[in-house]
Amino acid sequence: MEGLNQTSSVSEFILLGLSSQPEDQKPLFILFLIMYLVTITGNVLIILAIRSDPQLHTPMYVFLSVLSFTDIWYTTTIVPRMLVDFLSETKTISYAGCLAQMYFIYALSTTDNCLLAAMAYDRYVAICDPFHYVTIMSHCRCVLLVAFSCSLPHLHSLLHILLLNQLTFCDSNVLHHFLCDINPLLKLSCSSIFVNDLTIKTEGLVFWVTPFLCIVFSYVRILIAVLRIPSAARKRKAFSTCGSHFTVVILFYGSIFYVYLQPLSSYTVQDRVATLVYTVLTSMLNPFIYSLRNKDMKRGLGKLLGRRKS
């Protein structure tokens, strides 16, 4: 990591966080500590319930357990650092630490992105081609989708980190954010950001828009297939299997596109609220969304908690 600082005269950044008011720090600390504990507990319970119930050993729930595992590390990359800053007067993060945090944030968020696309494809096959579901969503294909979703995002993240490391930061080192994100960092750079900006608009869009379009295509096909079902009860059942996933997709992509599909020059402090949605809030709500709207998950969690009590 020693080489990271050699391209920049800035050795550390100051994270202003969500509020600069001293009286807000302890309430924010308590709020985000509770959210973090809820996130970890909820996602761990999802993973344990799926592992302990043989009826949940299907591709849909394999993807969900991997998503929960990713969300645990995703939140851990962000929230503990925030908690320290809430109780600290300096709120500084080293240059190397900033790039390391951004690397894992990008890698894990893109993993979530790919997993959501894989889950949409799984629902598409289950509803539109149920007779060939076992053949199409075989164990081998399921493993390949998980491996692809968890490995390729690291190359995407590494590319942006390497390009960012070529920039020079020679003026202000104050980040108007609660984490190290690429847009506020680019605004601080005093060297040309043309290549970085072009990469975000091309490679970045491909990495994010392609899975999103796959999800949209899957849901369009699902909607067409469901509308052709004559039975109202079967329609409700089909929609219920997709409702949880669709809710998460709206939260996740809505906030991300709001932040990253606007010009860099218009990036403002208000974007921190949208960033909170896809970094912290979605990871916390995922276990509730998938368990409260899913009878199989309710049964699995009931068995797990009942076994723990006994």
Side-chain angles (χ1 to χ4, degrees):
M1 284 293 187
E2 292 179 4
L4 292 177
N5 291 336
Q6 294 174 2
T7 61
S8 172
S9 58
V10 173
S11 61
E12 63 183 17
F13 293 101
I14 299 173
L15 295 170
L16 291 186
L18 294 172
S19 173
S20 58
Q21 301 299 320
E23 62 272 16
D24 294 337
Q25 304 308 304
K26 287 186 179 179
L28 286 172
F29 174 85
I30 294 171
L31 173 64
F32 280 91
L33 177 61
I34 293 172
M35 291 175 68
Y36 180 62
L37 294 176
V38 170
T39 301
I40 299 300
T41 303
N43 283 289
V44 167
L45 286 175
I46 291 289
I47 294 170
L48 293 177
I50 292 172
R51 290 196 62 181
S52 62
D53 190 345
Q55 295 184 40
L56 297 179
H57 293 176
T58 62
M60 174 183 175
Y61 296 108
V62 170
F63 294 139
L64 177 56
S65 63
V66 178
L67 181 69
S68 293
F69 181 78
T70 304
D71 282 344
I72 290 172
W73 290 107
Y74 187 31
T75 310
T76 301
T77 304
I78 300 167
V79 178
R81 175 78 221 183
M82 291 176 64
L83 296 177
V84 171
D85 287 341
F86 286 140
L87 301 181
S88 173
E89 294 183 1
T90 57
K91 303 181 188 299
T92 59
I93 183 171
S94 68
Y95 182 81
C98 188
L99 292 191
Q101 184 191 54
M102 201 178 83
Y103 171 83
F104 286 107
I105 288 173
Y106 269 59
L108 294 170
S109 62
T110 310
T111 299
D112 274 1
N113 175 39
C114 294
L115 286 171
L116 288 173
M119 293 170 77
Y121 175 70
D122 173 77
R123 291 299 83 204
Y124 158 71
V125 175
I127 293 174
C128 298
D129 197 4
F131 297 109
H132 297 95
Y133 177 80
V134 176
T135 304
I136 297 174
M137 295 303 297
S138 63
H139 176 74
C140 180
R141 180 163 295 179
C142 185
V143 170
L144 285 175
L145 286 172
V146 170
F148 175 83
S149 300
C150 295
S151 58
L152 198 59
H154 286 273
L155 298 177
H156 161 73
S157 181
L158 183 61
L159 172 62
H160 287 282
I161 296 300
L162 291 176
L163 290 175
L164 190 66
N165 191 44
Q166 303 303 312
L167 302 180
T168 302
F169 301 91
C170 50
D171 297 322
S172 173
N173 67 336
V174 178
L175 283 173
H176 295 269
H177 218 312
F178 58 87
L179 50 77
C180 289
D181 199 4
I182 195 163
N183 281 343
L185 281 170
L186 290 179
K187 292 186 75 172
L188 290 183
S189 175
C190 53
S191 57
S192 173
I193 60 170
F194 174 77
V195 176
N196 304 74
D197 199 31
L198 182 64
T199 305
I200 292 172
K201 288 181 170 63
T202 54
E203 186 270 351
L205 279 179
V206 169
F207 245 93
W208 282 91
V209 173
T210 301
F212 178 72
L213 291 178
C214 291
I215 293 173
V216 171
F217 172 79
S218 298
Y219 274 110
V220 169
R221 294 296 301 271
I222 288 171
L223 180 62
I224 294 172
V226 171
L227 291 177
R228 291 174 178 171
I229 299 175
S231 169
R234 289 181 61 195
K235 284 183 180 180
R236 285 194 298 269
K237 183 178 179 181
F239 278 127
S240 68
T241 64
C242 301
S244 302
H245 180 262
F246 188 72
T247 304
V248 172
V249 166
I250 294 297
L251 280 172
F252 187 73
Y253 283 100
S255 55
I256 281 183
F257 287 159
Y258 173 80
V259 172
Y260 292 106
L261 289 187
Q262 58 180 315
L264 180 61
S265 58
S266 64
Y267 189 86
T268 62
V269 177
Q270 284 72 24
D271 294 312
R272 286 180 289 182
V273 177
T275 305
L276 273 176
V277 175
Y278 74 82
T279 55
V280 179
L281 191 62
T282 303
S283 297
M284 184 186 74
L285 294 178
N286 275 354
F288 296 99
I289 293 172
Y290 280 107
S291 60
L292 294 178
R293 296 175 59 89
N294 189 301
K295 293 181 180 179
D296 293 333
M297 277 306 310
K298 284 183 181 179
R299 187 195 66 247
L301 287 169
K303 288 182 179 179
L304 176 67
L305 296 176
R307 189 181 304 126
R308 299 283 178 184
K309 290 179 182 180
S310 60

Short mmCIF file of all heavy atoms in Angstrom, two decimals, residues 14-73:
data_model
loop_
_atom_site.label_atom_id
_atom_site.label_comp_id
_atom_site.label_asym_id
_atom_site.label_seq_id
_atom_site.Cartn_x
_atom_site.Cartn_y
_atom_site.Cartn_z
N ILE A 14 -10.69 13.76 4.98
CA ILE A 14 -11.59 14.04 6.10
C ILE A 14 -13.02 13.76 5.63
O ILE A 14 -13.49 14.37 4.66
CB ILE A 14 -11.47 15.49 6.58
CG1 ILE A 14 -10.05 15.77 7.07
CG2 ILE A 14 -12.48 15.78 7.69
CD1 ILE A 14 -9.78 17.22 7.41
N LEU A 15 -13.70 12.83 6.30
CA LEU A 15 -15.08 12.50 5.96
C LEU A 15 -16.02 13.33 6.83
O LEU A 15 -16.04 13.16 8.05
CB LEU A 15 -15.34 11.00 6.18
CG LEU A 15 -14.56 10.04 5.27
CD1 LEU A 15 -14.72 8.61 5.77
CD2 LEU A 15 -15.03 10.16 3.83
N LEU A 16 -16.78 14.23 6.22
CA LEU A 16 -17.67 15.09 6.99
C LEU A 16 -18.86 14.34 7.56
O LEU A 16 -19.48 14.79 8.52
CB LEU A 16 -18.14 16.25 6.12
CG LEU A 16 -17.08 17.29 5.73
CD1 LEU A 16 -17.73 18.44 4.98
CD2 LEU A 16 -16.32 17.79 6.94
N GLY A 17 -19.19 13.20 6.96
CA GLY A 17 -20.28 12.39 7.49
C GLY A 17 -21.65 12.93 7.12
O GLY A 17 -21.81 13.71 6.18
N LEU A 18 -22.65 12.51 7.88
CA LEU A 18 -24.02 12.90 7.60
C LEU A 18 -24.38 14.26 8.19
O LEU A 18 -25.27 14.94 7.70
CB LEU A 18 -25.00 11.84 8.15
CG LEU A 18 -24.93 10.48 7.48
CD1 LEU A 18 -25.79 9.48 8.23
CD2 LEU A 18 -25.38 10.56 6.03
N SER A 19 -23.70 14.65 9.27
CA SER A 19 -23.98 15.92 9.92
C SER A 19 -22.72 16.43 10.61
O SER A 19 -21.95 15.64 11.18
CB SER A 19 -25.11 15.76 10.95
OG SER A 19 -25.28 16.95 11.70
N SER A 20 -22.53 17.74 10.57
CA SER A 20 -21.38 18.35 11.24
C SER A 20 -21.74 18.90 12.61
O SER A 20 -20.88 19.44 13.31
CB SER A 20 -20.81 19.48 10.36
OG SER A 20 -21.83 20.45 10.11
N GLN A 21 -23.01 18.76 12.99
CA GLN A 21 -23.46 19.26 14.29
C GLN A 21 -23.07 18.29 15.41
O GLN A 21 -23.42 17.10 15.35
CB GLN A 21 -24.98 19.45 14.29
CG GLN A 21 -25.49 20.41 13.23
CD GLN A 21 -24.91 21.81 13.39
OE1 GLN A 21 -24.78 22.31 14.51
NE2 GLN A 21 -24.56 22.42 12.27
N PRO A 22 -22.36 18.77 16.45
CA PRO A 22 -21.93 17.87 17.54
C PRO A 22 -23.08 17.17 18.23
O PRO A 22 -22.95 16.00 18.63
CB PRO A 22 -21.20 18.83 18.50
CG PRO A 22 -20.79 19.99 17.66
CD PRO A 22 -21.86 20.14 16.62
N GLU A 23 -24.22 17.85 18.37
CA GLU A 23 -25.36 17.25 19.08
C GLU A 23 -26.01 16.11 18.29
O GLU A 23 -26.79 15.32 18.86
CB GLU A 23 -26.41 18.31 19.41
CG GLU A 23 -27.05 18.99 18.21
CD GLU A 23 -26.27 20.22 17.74
OE1 GLU A 23 -25.10 20.37 18.13
OE2 GLU A 23 -26.86 21.02 16.98
N ASP A 24 -25.69 16.00 17.00
CA ASP A 24 -26.27 14.93 16.18
C ASP A 24 -25.47 13.64 16.23
O ASP A 24 -25.97 12.58 15.82
CB ASP A 24 -26.37 15.38 14.72
CG ASP A 24 -27.35 16.53 14.53
OD1 ASP A 24 -28.24 16.68 15.38
OD2 ASP A 24 -27.22 17.27 13.54
N GLN A 25 -24.23 13.70 16.70
CA GLN A 25 -23.32 12.56 16.57
C GLN A 25 -23.76 11.34 17.38
O GLN A 25 -23.79 10.21 16.86
CB GLN A 25 -21.89 12.97 16.95
CG GLN A 25 -21.36 14.14 16.15
CD GLN A 25 -21.48 13.96 14.64
OE1 GLN A 25 -21.00 12.98 14.07
NE2 GLN A 25 -22.14 14.91 13.98
N LYS A 26 -24.11 11.53 18.65
CA LYS A 26 -24.51 10.39 19.48
C LYS A 26 -25.84 9.76 19.03
O LYS A 26 -25.94 8.53 18.94
CB LYS A 26 -24.57 10.79 20.95
CG LYS A 26 -23.19 10.99 21.58
CD LYS A 26 -23.27 11.23 23.06
CE LYS A 26 -21.86 11.38 23.66
NZ LYS A 26 -21.92 11.66 25.11
N PRO A 27 -26.88 10.58 18.72
CA PRO A 27 -28.11 9.97 18.17
C PRO A 27 -27.86 9.20 16.88
O PRO A 27 -28.42 8.11 16.68
CB PRO A 27 -29.03 11.18 17.94
CG PRO A 27 -28.55 12.20 18.90
CD PRO A 27 -27.07 12.02 18.97
N LEU A 28 -27.01 9.74 16.00
CA LEU A 28 -26.70 9.03 14.75
C LEU A 28 -25.92 7.75 15.04
O LEU A 28 -26.14 6.72 14.38
CB LEU A 28 -25.89 9.94 13.82
CG LEU A 28 -26.66 11.06 13.12
CD1 LEU A 28 -25.70 11.99 12.39
CD2 LEU A 28 -27.68 10.48 12.14
N PHE A 29 -25.03 7.80 16.01
CA PHE A 29 -24.28 6.60 16.40
C PHE A 29 -25.22 5.49 16.87
O PHE A 29 -25.12 4.34 16.44
CB PHE A 29 -23.29 6.94 17.52
CG PHE A 29 -22.57 5.74 18.09
CD1 PHE A 29 -21.42 5.25 17.48
CD2 PHE A 29 -23.06 5.09 19.21
CE1 PHE A 29 -20.76 4.13 17.99
CE2 PHE A 29 -22.41 3.97 19.73
CZ PHE A 29 -21.27 3.50 19.11
N ILE A 30 -26.17 5.85 17.73
CA ILE A 30 -27.12 4.87 18.26
C ILE A 30 -27.99 4.31 17.13
O ILE A 30 -28.22 3.10 17.02
CB ILE A 30 -28.00 5.50 19.36
CG1 ILE A 30 -27.13 5.87 20.57
CG2 ILE A 30 -29.12 4.55 19.78
CD1 ILE A 30 -27.86 6.69 21.61
N LEU A 31 -28.47 5.21 16.24
CA LEU A 31 -29.33 4.79 15.13
C LEU A 31 -28.62 3.80 14.21
O LEU A 31 -29.16 2.73 13.89
CB LEU A 31 -29.78 6.02 14.33
CG LEU A 31 -30.54 5.74 13.03
CD1 LEU A 31 -31.86 5.05 13.32
CD2 LEU A 31 -30.78 7.04 12.26
N PHE A 32 -27.39 4.13 13.81
CA PHE A 32 -26.70 3.27 12.86
C PHE A 32 -26.14 2.01 13.52
O PHE A 32 -25.97 0.99 12.85
CB PHE A 32 -25.60 4.05 12.15
CG PHE A 32 -26.12 4.90 11.02
CD1 PHE A 32 -26.50 6.21 11.24
CD2 PHE A 32 -26.27 4.37 9.76
CE1 PHE A 32 -27.01 6.98 10.21
CE2 PHE A 32 -26.77 5.12 8.72
CZ PHE A 32 -27.15 6.43 8.95
N LEU A 33 -25.87 2.07 14.82
CA LEU A 33 -25.48 0.85 15.54
C LEU A 33 -26.65 -0.14 15.55
O LEU A 33 -26.46 -1.34 15.30
CB LEU A 33 -25.05 1.19 16.96
CG LEU A 33 -24.68 -0.02 17.85
CD1 LEU A 33 -23.50 -0.79 17.26
CD2 LEU A 33 -24.38 0.44 19.28
N ILE A 34 -27.85 0.36 15.82
CA ILE A 34 -29.03 -0.50 15.81
C ILE A 34 -29.26 -1.07 14.42
O ILE A 34 -29.52 -2.27 14.24
CB ILE A 34 -30.27 0.29 16.29
CG1 ILE A 34 -30.13 0.65 17.78
CG2 ILE A 34 -31.55 -0.53 16.07
CD1 ILE A 34 -31.22 1.58 18.28
N MET A 35 -29.15 -0.22 13.39
CA MET A 35 -29.35 -0.67 12.01
C MET A 35 -28.31 -1.73 11.63
O MET A 35 -28.64 -2.72 10.97
CB MET A 35 -29.25 0.52 11.06
CG MET A 35 -30.39 1.51 11.17
SD MET A 35 -30.19 2.98 10.12
CE MET A 35 -30.37 2.26 8.50
N TYR A 36 -27.08 -1.53 12.08
CA TYR A 36 -26.02 -2.50 11.76
C TYR A 36 -26.29 -3.84 12.43
O TYR A 36 -26.17 -4.90 11.79
CB TYR A 36 -24.68 -1.93 12.21
CG TYR A 36 -23.50 -2.84 11.93
CD1 TYR A 36 -23.16 -3.20 10.63
CD2 TYR A 36 -22.73 -3.36 12.98
CE1 TYR A 36 -22.08 -4.02 10.37
CE2 TYR A 36 -21.65 -4.19 12.73
CZ TYR A 36 -21.33 -4.52 11.43
OH TYR A 36 -20.26 -5.34 11.18
N LEU A 37 -26.68 -3.81 13.71
CA LEU A 37 -26.96 -5.05 14.43
C LEU A 37 -28.16 -5.78 13.83
O LEU A 37 -28.16 -7.01 13.71
CB LEU A 37 -27.20 -4.76 15.91
CG LEU A 37 -25.98 -4.22 16.69
CD1 LEU A 37 -26.38 -3.87 18.12
CD2 LEU A 37 -24.85 -5.24 16.69
N VAL A 38 -29.18 -5.01 13.43
CA VAL A 38 -30.36 -5.61 12.78
C VAL A 38 -29.97 -6.24 11.45
O VAL A 38 -30.42 -7.35 11.12
CB VAL A 38 -31.47 -4.55 12.59
CG1 VAL A 38 -32.58 -5.10 11.69
CG2 VAL A 38 -32.03 -4.11 13.92
N THR A 39 -29.12 -5.55 10.68
CA THR A 39 -28.67 -6.06 9.39
C THR A 39 -27.92 -7.38 9.55
O THR A 39 -28.19 -8.36 8.84
CB THR A 39 -27.76 -5.04 8.69
OG1 THR A 39 -28.48 -3.82 8.50
CG2 THR A 39 -27.28 -5.56 7.34
N ILE A 40 -26.95 -7.40 10.48
CA ILE A 40 -26.15 -8.61 10.68
C ILE A 40 -27.03 -9.76 11.17
O ILE A 40 -26.97 -10.87 10.63
CB ILE A 40 -25.02 -8.34 11.69
CG1 ILE A 40 -24.08 -7.25 11.17
CG2 ILE A 40 -24.24 -9.63 11.97
CD1 ILE A 40 -23.41 -7.56 9.87
N THR A 41 -27.88 -9.48 12.16
CA THR A 41 -28.73 -10.53 12.73
C THR A 41 -29.70 -11.08 11.68
O THR A 41 -29.84 -12.30 11.52
CB THR A 41 -29.53 -9.98 13.93
OG1 THR A 41 -28.63 -9.46 14.91
CG2 THR A 41 -30.38 -11.08 14.56
N GLY A 42 -30.36 -10.18 10.96
CA GLY A 42 -31.34 -10.61 9.96
C GLY A 42 -30.73 -11.44 8.85
O GLY A 42 -31.26 -12.50 8.48
N ASN A 43 -29.58 -11.01 8.33
CA ASN A 43 -28.95 -11.75 7.23
C ASN A 43 -28.35 -13.07 7.69
O ASN A 43 -28.37 -14.06 6.96
CB ASN A 43 -27.89 -10.87 6.56
CG ASN A 43 -28.49 -9.83 5.63
OD1 ASN A 43 -29.01 -10.16 4.56
ND2 ASN A 43 -28.45 -8.58 6.04
N VAL A 44 -27.82 -13.10 8.91
CA VAL A 44 -27.30 -14.37 9.46
C VAL A 44 -28.45 -15.37 9.63
O VAL A 44 -28.30 -16.56 9.31
CB VAL A 44 -26.57 -14.13 10.79
CG1 VAL A 44 -26.33 -15.46 11.52
CG2 VAL A 44 -25.24 -13.43 10.56
N LEU A 45 -29.60 -14.89 10.11
CA LEU A 45 -30.75 -15.78 10.28
C LEU A 45 -31.23 -16.33 8.93
O LEU A 45 -31.60 -17.50 8.83
CB LEU A 45 -31.90 -15.03 10.97
CG LEU A 45 -31.73 -14.79 12.47
CD1 LEU A 45 -32.87 -13.93 13.01
CD2 LEU A 45 -31.66 -16.11 13.24
N ILE A 46 -31.21 -15.49 7.90
CA ILE A 46 -31.60 -15.95 6.56
C ILE A 46 -30.67 -17.07 6.10
O ILE A 46 -31.11 -18.12 5.60
CB ILE A 46 -31.56 -14.78 5.56
CG1 ILE A 46 -32.67 -13.77 5.84
CG2 ILE A 46 -31.64 -15.29 4.12
CD1 ILE A 46 -34.06 -14.24 5.50
N ILE A 47 -29.37 -16.88 6.27
CA ILE A 47 -28.38 -17.88 5.84
C ILE A 47 -28.56 -19.18 6.62
O ILE A 47 -28.57 -20.28 6.04
CB ILE A 47 -26.94 -17.34 6.04
CG1 ILE A 47 -26.70 -16.17 5.10
CG2 ILE A 47 -25.91 -18.44 5.79
CD1 ILE A 47 -25.40 -15.42 5.37
N LEU A 48 -28.72 -19.08 7.95
CA LEU A 48 -28.87 -20.28 8.78
C LEU A 48 -30.17 -21.02 8.47
O LEU A 48 -30.19 -22.26 8.44
CB LEU A 48 -28.82 -19.90 10.26
CG LEU A 48 -27.48 -19.37 10.79
CD1 LEU A 48 -27.61 -18.96 12.25
CD2 LEU A 48 -26.39 -20.43 10.63
N ALA A 49 -31.25 -20.26 8.23
CA ALA A 49 -32.54 -20.89 7.92
C ALA A 49 -32.46 -21.66 6.61
O ALA A 49 -32.97 -22.78 6.50
CB ALA A 49 -33.63 -19.83 7.85
N ILE A 50 -31.81 -21.08 5.61
CA ILE A 50 -31.69 -21.75 4.31
C ILE A 50 -30.80 -22.98 4.41
O ILE A 50 -31.10 -24.04 3.84
CB ILE A 50 -31.14 -20.76 3.26
CG1 ILE A 50 -32.19 -19.67 2.97
CG2 ILE A 50 -30.77 -21.49 1.95
CD1 ILE A 50 -31.70 -18.54 2.10
N ARG A 51 -29.71 -22.88 5.16
CA ARG A 51 -28.80 -24.02 5.29
C ARG A 51 -29.42 -25.16 6.09
O ARG A 51 -29.13 -26.33 5.82
CB ARG A 51 -27.50 -23.58 5.97
CG ARG A 51 -26.63 -22.68 5.11
CD ARG A 51 -25.23 -22.59 5.66
NE ARG A 51 -24.58 -23.89 5.67
CZ ARG A 51 -23.35 -24.11 6.12
NH1 ARG A 51 -22.63 -23.11 6.60
NH2 ARG A 51 -22.82 -25.32 6.09
N SER A 52 -30.27 -24.84 7.06
CA SER A 52 -30.80 -25.88 7.94
C SER A 52 -32.07 -26.54 7.41
O SER A 52 -32.47 -27.58 7.91
CB SER A 52 -31.10 -25.28 9.33
OG SER A 52 -32.09 -24.26 9.24
N ASP A 53 -32.71 -25.96 6.40
CA ASP A 53 -33.96 -26.50 5.86
C ASP A 53 -33.72 -27.08 4.47
O ASP A 53 -33.49 -26.33 3.51
CB ASP A 53 -35.02 -25.40 5.80
CG ASP A 53 -36.41 -25.95 5.47
OD1 ASP A 53 -36.50 -27.12 5.03
OD2 ASP A 53 -37.40 -25.21 5.64
N PRO A 54 -33.77 -28.40 4.30
CA PRO A 54 -33.52 -29.03 2.99
C PRO A 54 -34.48 -28.55 1.91
O PRO A 54 -34.12 -28.54 0.72
CB PRO A 54 -33.71 -30.53 3.26
CG PRO A 54 -33.46 -30.68 4.74
CD PRO A 54 -33.97 -29.42 5.36
N GLN A 55 -35.70 -28.15 2.29
CA GLN A 55 -36.68 -27.68 1.31
C GLN A 55 -36.29 -26.33 0.70
O GLN A 55 -36.84 -25.93 -0.32
CB GLN A 55 -38.06 -27.57 1.96
CG GLN A 55 -38.63 -28.92 2.40
CD GLN A 55 -40.04 -28.79 2.95
OE1 GLN A 55 -40.85 -28.03 2.42
NE2 GLN A 55 -40.34 -29.52 4.01
N LEU A 56 -35.34 -25.64 1.33
CA LEU A 56 -34.88 -24.35 0.82
C LEU A 56 -33.59 -24.47 0.02
O LEU A 56 -33.00 -23.46 -0.35
CB LEU A 56 -34.68 -23.36 1.98
CG LEU A 56 -35.93 -23.00 2.79
CD1 LEU A 56 -35.58 -22.04 3.90
CD2 LEU A 56 -37.02 -22.41 1.90
N HIS A 57 -33.15 -25.70 -0.24
CA HIS A 57 -31.92 -25.91 -1.00
C HIS A 57 -32.23 -25.90 -2.50
O HIS A 57 -32.01 -26.87 -3.23
CB HIS A 57 -31.25 -27.23 -0.60
CG HIS A 57 -30.74 -27.21 0.80
ND1 HIS A 57 -30.18 -28.31 1.41
CD2 HIS A 57 -30.70 -26.22 1.73
CE1 HIS A 57 -29.82 -28.00 2.65
NE2 HIS A 57 -30.13 -26.74 2.86
N THR A 58 -32.77 -24.78 -2.96
CA THR A 58 -33.10 -24.58 -4.37
C THR A 58 -32.34 -23.35 -4.87
O THR A 58 -31.87 -22.54 -4.06
CB THR A 58 -34.61 -24.36 -4.55
OG1 THR A 58 -34.99 -23.17 -3.83
CG2 THR A 58 -35.40 -25.55 -4.02
N PRO A 59 -32.19 -23.19 -6.19
CA PRO A 59 -31.42 -22.05 -6.71
C PRO A 59 -31.87 -20.69 -6.17
O PRO A 59 -31.04 -19.84 -5.84
CB PRO A 59 -31.64 -22.15 -8.21
CG PRO A 59 -31.81 -23.60 -8.46
CD PRO A 59 -32.57 -24.12 -7.27
N MET A 60 -33.18 -20.50 -6.05
CA MET A 60 -33.69 -19.22 -5.57
C MET A 60 -33.12 -18.87 -4.20
O MET A 60 -32.69 -17.73 -3.95
CB MET A 60 -35.22 -19.26 -5.51
CG MET A 60 -35.84 -18.02 -4.89
SD MET A 60 -37.64 -18.19 -4.78
CE MET A 60 -38.07 -16.69 -3.90
N TYR A 61 -33.11 -19.84 -3.31
CA TYR A 61 -32.66 -19.58 -1.94
C TYR A 61 -31.14 -19.65 -1.82
O TYR A 61 -30.56 -19.06 -0.90
CB TYR A 61 -33.36 -20.53 -0.98
CG TYR A 61 -34.84 -20.30 -0.93
CD1 TYR A 61 -35.74 -21.20 -1.52
CD2 TYR A 61 -35.36 -19.15 -0.36
CE1 TYR A 61 -37.09 -20.96 -1.51
CE2 TYR A 61 -36.72 -18.90 -0.35
CZ TYR A 61 -37.58 -19.81 -0.93
OH TYR A 61 -38.94 -19.55 -0.93
N VAL A 62 -30.49 -20.37 -2.73
CA VAL A 62 -29.02 -20.33 -2.77
C VAL A 62 -28.57 -18.91 -3.12
O VAL A 62 -27.67 -18.34 -2.47
CB VAL A 62 -28.48 -21.33 -3.80
CG1 VAL A 62 -26.98 -21.10 -4.02
CG2 VAL A 62 -28.71 -22.76 -3.34
N PHE A 63 -29.20 -18.32 -4.13
CA PHE A 63 -28.89 -16.93 -4.49
C PHE A 63 -29.18 -15.99 -3.33
O PHE A 63 -28.40 -15.06 -3.06
CB PHE A 63 -29.70 -16.50 -5.72
CG PHE A 63 -29.34 -17.22 -6.98
CD1 PHE A 63 -30.32 -17.64 -7.87
CD2 PHE A 63 -28.01 -17.48 -7.30
CE1 PHE A 63 -29.99 -18.29 -9.04
CE2 PHE A 63 -27.68 -18.14 -8.47
CZ PHE A 63 -28.67 -18.55 -9.34
N LEU A 64 -30.29 -16.23 -2.64
CA LEU A 64 -30.65 -15.36 -1.51
C LEU A 64 -29.63 -15.47 -0.38
O LEU A 64 -29.27 -14.45 0.23
CB LEU A 64 -32.05 -15.73 -1.00
CG LEU A 64 -32.56 -14.96 0.22
CD1 LEU A 64 -32.54 -13.45 -0.04
CD2 LEU A 64 -33.97 -15.42 0.61
N SER A 65 -29.16 -16.67 -0.09
CA SER A 65 -28.18 -16.84 0.98
C SER A 65 -26.86 -16.15 0.62
O SER A 65 -26.21 -15.54 1.49
CB SER A 65 -27.95 -18.32 1.28
OG SER A 65 -27.40 -18.99 0.16
N VAL A 66 -26.45 -16.24 -0.65
CA VAL A 66 -25.23 -15.55 -1.09
C VAL A 66 -25.42 -14.04 -1.02
O VAL A 66 -24.52 -13.30 -0.62
CB VAL A 66 -24.83 -15.99 -2.51
CG1 VAL A 66 -23.58 -15.23 -2.97
CG2 VAL A 66 -24.57 -17.48 -2.56
N LEU A 67 -26.62 -13.58 -1.39
CA LEU A 67 -26.93 -12.15 -1.30
C LEU A 67 -26.85 -11.67 0.15
O LEU A 67 -26.30 -10.60 0.42
CB LEU A 67 -28.33 -11.88 -1.87
CG LEU A 67 -28.80 -10.43 -1.88
CD1 LEU A 67 -28.00 -9.60 -2.89
CD2 LEU A 67 -30.29 -10.34 -2.19
N SER A 68 -27.37 -12.46 1.08
CA SER A 68 -27.31 -12.10 2.50
C SER A 68 -25.87 -12.07 2.99
O SER A 68 -25.48 -11.18 3.75
CB SER A 68 -28.13 -13.10 3.33
OG SER A 68 -29.51 -12.99 3.03
N PHE A 69 -25.08 -13.05 2.56
CA PHE A 69 -23.66 -13.10 2.95
C PHE A 69 -22.93 -11.86 2.42
O PHE A 69 -22.13 -11.24 3.15
CB PHE A 69 -23.02 -14.37 2.39
CG PHE A 69 -21.57 -14.52 2.74
CD1 PHE A 69 -21.18 -14.95 4.01
CD2 PHE A 69 -20.58 -14.23 1.81
CE1 PHE A 69 -19.83 -15.08 4.34
CE2 PHE A 69 -19.24 -14.36 2.13
CZ PHE A 69 -18.87 -14.78 3.39
N THR A 70 -23.20 -11.49 1.18
CA THR A 70 -22.58 -10.30 0.59
C THR A 70 -23.01 -9.04 1.33
O THR A 70 -22.19 -8.15 1.59
CB THR A 70 -22.96 -10.18 -0.90
OG1 THR A 70 -22.59 -11.38 -1.59
CG2 THR A 70 -22.27 -9.00 -1.55
N ASP A 71 -24.30 -8.96 1.69
CA ASP A 71 -24.80 -7.78 2.39
C ASP A 71 -24.16 -7.61 3.77
O ASP A 71 -23.96 -6.48 4.23
CB ASP A 71 -26.32 -7.86 2.54
CG ASP A 71 -27.05 -7.49 1.26
OD1 ASP A 71 -26.41 -6.88 0.38
OD2 ASP A 71 -28.25 -7.81 1.14
N ILE A 72 -23.84 -8.72 4.41
CA ILE A 72 -23.16 -8.64 5.71
C ILE A 72 -21.81 -7.93 5.56
O ILE A 72 -21.48 -7.01 6.31
CB ILE A 72 -22.97 -10.04 6.32
CG1 ILE A 72 -24.33 -10.61 6.75
CG2 ILE A 72 -22.01 -10.00 7.51
CD1 ILE A 72 -24.27 -12.06 7.18
N TRP A 73 -21.03 -8.36 4.56
CA TRP A 73 -19.71 -7.76 4.36
C TRP A 73 -19.82 -6.36 3.77
O TRP A 73 -19.00 -5.48 4.07
CB TRP A 73 -18.87 -8.67 3.45
CG TRP A 73 -18.47 -9.92 4.16
CD1 TRP A 73 -18.96 -11.17 3.93
CD2 TRP A 73 -17.53 -10.04 5.24
NE1 TRP A 73 -18.38 -12.07 4.80
CE2 TRP A 73 -17.50 -11.40 5.61
CE3 TRP A 73 -16.72 -9.13 5.92
CZ2 TRP A 73 -16.69 -11.87 6.63
CZ3 TRP A 73 -15.91 -9.59 6.94
CH2 TRP A 73 -15.90 -10.95 7.29
#
